[in-house]
Amino acid sequence: VLFRSDWREARQLTKELLGRFLQLVVERRNQRGKNDTVNKILAYIHEHYNRSDLSLNLLAEQFRLTPSYVSKLFKEHTEQNFMDYLIAIRMEASKERLADRKLKISEIAEAVGYTNIHSFLRTFKKYTGMTPTEYRELIAAHAAAAVSEPSAK
């Protein structure tokens, strides 16, 4: 009888501890979306992604924080590191600009923050699986197919 009582107590204590742990996890996750500094940093990145000098050091200077703290804060709240986030923004902007066939690829690279065309080409290929020229041709082919398809009635 004593053993059953101890077991029930242990079970109840475990249940309470797990409940509290779950509550802490939920609170922590909710805080991720509520950090004003991170939101300001993200807004800054979206406005200035085209700066070739955009870096953790620049962000730290801009927001009066240390680079390591900006990195830690960024990772905690976005679950991504800064460079991966910046590259994704730049590549998405590149893809949008590639629809304009009047723009040279070198102009697009510069417009999204790359000073070295080879670095841009390598990153674009790694990010999309194709070169900017191949991507541009794909967009053109899809546009041509959409125009030539009869509308369904």
Side-chain angles (χ1 to χ4, degrees):
V1 176
L2 185 62
F3 177 73
R4 282 188 187 160
S5 174
D6 289 344
W7 186 80
R8 283 187 187 131
E9 263 183 53
R11 187 170 144 190
Q12 183 61 33
L13 182 61
T14 302
K15 198 183 229 183
E16 288 173 17
L17 287 172
L18 286 174
R20 180 67 185 129
F21 178 72
L22 181 60
Q23 184 180 1
L24 288 171
V25 168
V26 168
E27 286 172 12
R28 175 80 182 232
R29 284 187 179 163
N30 287 338
Q31 286 175 348
R32 280 187 183 156
K34 296 180 182 174
N35 190 304
D36 193 41
T37 302
V38 172
N39 290 338
K40 287 177 183 175
I41 290 171
L42 292 174
Y44 187 89
I45 293 168
H46 282 270
E47 286 178 39
H48 299 94
Y49 69 87
N50 57 339
R51 288 184 62 168
S52 62
D53 65 340
L54 187 56
S55 65
L56 281 173
N57 288 334
L58 180 76
L59 290 173
E61 189 178 304
Q62 187 71 29
F63 291 93
R64 295 188 174 110
L65 303 166
T66 65
S68 60
Y69 184 69
V70 172
S71 178
K72 179 182 178 288
L73 199 60
F74 196 89
K75 181 80 170 182
E76 282 177 1
H77 291 272
T78 65
E79 297 183 354
Q80 249 184 317
N81 72 44
F82 165 72
M83 277 312 295
D84 289 342
Y85 188 85
L86 179 59
I87 287 169
I89 291 171
R90 286 176 169 173
M91 292 300 103
E92 290 305 315
S94 301
K95 287 162 60 176
E96 289 173 18
R97 285 174 168 82
L98 283 165
D100 183 351
R101 295 185 70 76
K102 289 179 246 163
L103 292 175
K104 294 179 183 174
I105 291 172
S106 60
E107 293 171 335
I108 294 170
E110 191 175 321
V112 299
Y114 284 86
T115 55
N116 182 321
I117 185 71
H118 298 292
S119 177
F120 171 76
L121 294 171
R122 186 175 49 256
T123 303
F124 192 91
K125 173 102 180 190
K126 183 177 178 184
Y127 186 81
T128 65
M130 57 186 86
T131 67
T133 303
E134 291 168 339
Y135 185 82
R136 184 175 259 171
E137 289 168 358
L138 182 68
I139 293 170
H142 281 295
V147 169
S148 67
E149 287 180 8
S151 56
K153 291 185 181 180

